[in-house]
């Protein structure tokens, strides 16, 4: 079993809750509360800014030039591609760049991104990439699953754009590349004795992803 599959197997309960969360299913069937999605969109923009910092940290932590280039490519993908796509998606929901930049960060967003950055500061590049994996690789898995549901592509589904973006070939390629890089790092720097530590990081990051979905539901209930 490859390294990422071992991580998922060890965190199978958390991974299932994350990737099959009602928030994601609500996007597939178009029944997710719009207030929940709008709150998520704003916080995800702030999240991307912090994830860009994590990729900048990955450049610093990289032990080899090839790893530095991998991290630099990830940083560029966030700053130059994904954030622009996110701004366009938000515009369709009436959210301007000004709205996004002035929004206060949610506790759930801060907890998740601070955890990833702290993991990277305390550990090596492999630990940081394990903390990043639930987001980078998980979104591809979630969107691919949602895209198999016919209602996900209905013209009346307001979330079809999000599903199409993450289920599309460009993002799926990004996730596949990140997974391949993670496997190479694990081959070089993981040991049987260390794997329990890495599994714990993966579980914690996945739980924080679950909290990110829950954040939108709670905001909707509060009427935000």
């Amino acid at each position: 079993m490859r390294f990422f599959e071992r991580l998922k197997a060890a965190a199978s309960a958390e991974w299932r809750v994350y990737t099959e969360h009602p928030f994601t299913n609500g996007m597939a069937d178009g029944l997710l509360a719009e207030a929940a999605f709008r709150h998520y969109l704003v916080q995800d923009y702030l999240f991307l800014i912090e994830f860009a910092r994590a990729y900048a940290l990955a450049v610093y932590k990289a032990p080899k030039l090839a790893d530095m280039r991998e991290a630099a490519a990830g940083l560029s993908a966030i700053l130059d591609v994904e954030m622009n796509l996110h701004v366009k998606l938000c515009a369709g929901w009436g959210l301007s760049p000004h709205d996004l930049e002035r929004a206060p960060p949610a506790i759930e967003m801060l907890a998740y991104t601070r955890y990833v950055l702290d993991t990277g500061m305390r550990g090596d590049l492999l630990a940081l990439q394990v903390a990043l994996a639930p987001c980078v690789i998980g979104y591809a898995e979630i969107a691919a699953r949602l895209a198999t549901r016919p209602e996900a592509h209905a013209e009346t589904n307001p979330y079809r754009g999000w599903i199409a973006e993450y289920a599309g070939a460009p993002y799926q390629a990004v996730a596949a590349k990140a997974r391949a890089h993670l496997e190479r790092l694990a081959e070089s720097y993981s040991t049987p004795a260390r794997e329990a530590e890495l599994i714990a990081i993966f579980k914690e990051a996945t739980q924080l992803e679950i909290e990110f979905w829950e954040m939108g539901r709670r905001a909707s209930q509060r009427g935000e």
Side-chain angles (χ1 to χ4, degrees):
M1 188 183 291
R2 301 297 302 278
F3 178 69
F4 184 71
E5 292 301 320
R6 295 200 301 275
L7 292 177
K8 287 207 308 181
S12 59
E14 293 88 348
W15 192 256
R16 183 166 53 254
V17 173
Y18 164 46
T19 59
E20 300 177 15
H21 195 277
F23 189 100
T24 65
N25 293 332
M27 286 193 284
D29 58 28
L31 299 179
L32 177 68
E34 291 192 6
F37 189 70
R38 286 171 62 88
H39 186 80
Y40 158 78
L41 281 179
V42 172
Q43 294 303 314
D44 199 40
Y45 178 83
L46 301 178
F47 176 90
L48 286 173
I49 294 172
E50 299 306 315
F51 249 42
R53 299 186 202 282
Y55 274 93
L57 177 60
V59 174
Y60 175 76
K61 288 282 184 171
K64 299 177 181 177
L65 183 59
D67 295 319
M68 293 179 73
R69 287 182 172 133
E70 289 272 4
L75 176 60
S76 178
I78 293 174
L79 293 177
D80 302 327
V81 179
E82 193 169 358
M83 290 192 73
N84 291 335
L85 290 172
H86 198 81
V87 168
K88 288 175 64 177
L89 181 61
C90 288
W93 287 81
L95 296 166
S96 70
H98 180 64
D99 294 328
L100 299 173
E101 290 164 11
R102 72 178 182 178
I107 293 299
E108 296 87 349
M109 191 282 295
L110 289 173
Y112 187 7
T113 55
R114 294 302 184 270
Y115 175 79
V116 171
L117 287 166
D118 184 60
T119 298
M121 290 294 292
R122 290 185 293 109
D124 63 359
L125 180 60
L126 175 58
L128 176 56
Q129 291 296 340
V130 168
L132 290 167
C135 178
V136 180
I137 303 172
Y139 267 42
E141 184 173 316
I142 290 166
R145 179 180 68 84
L146 299 184
T148 65
R149 297 171 58 165
E151 59 269 33
H153 308 287
E155 287 295 322
T156 54
N157 187 338
Y159 311 113
R160 65 186 184 278
W162 186 97
I163 296 169
E165 178 178 326
Y166 287 100
Y171 188 80
Q172 292 291 318
V174 167
K177 188 174 182 180
R179 182 167 176 166
H181 187 216
L182 181 64
E183 296 293 345
R184 291 195 298 272
L185 289 173
E187 288 175 6
S188 297
Y189 304 110
S190 182
T191 64
R194 189 185 177 197
E195 195 152 308
E197 167 206 342
L198 297 170
I199 286 169
I201 292 170
F202 187 78
K203 283 186 175 184
E204 289 162 356
T206 301
Q207 185 60 49
L208 288 164
E209 279 284 5
I210 295 169
E211 288 301 311
F212 212 80
W213 294 141
E214 287 290 314
M215 169 192 67
R217 181 183 60 80
R218 288 190 288 262
S220 178
Q221 292 174 343
R222 294 192 300 265
E224 295 181 11

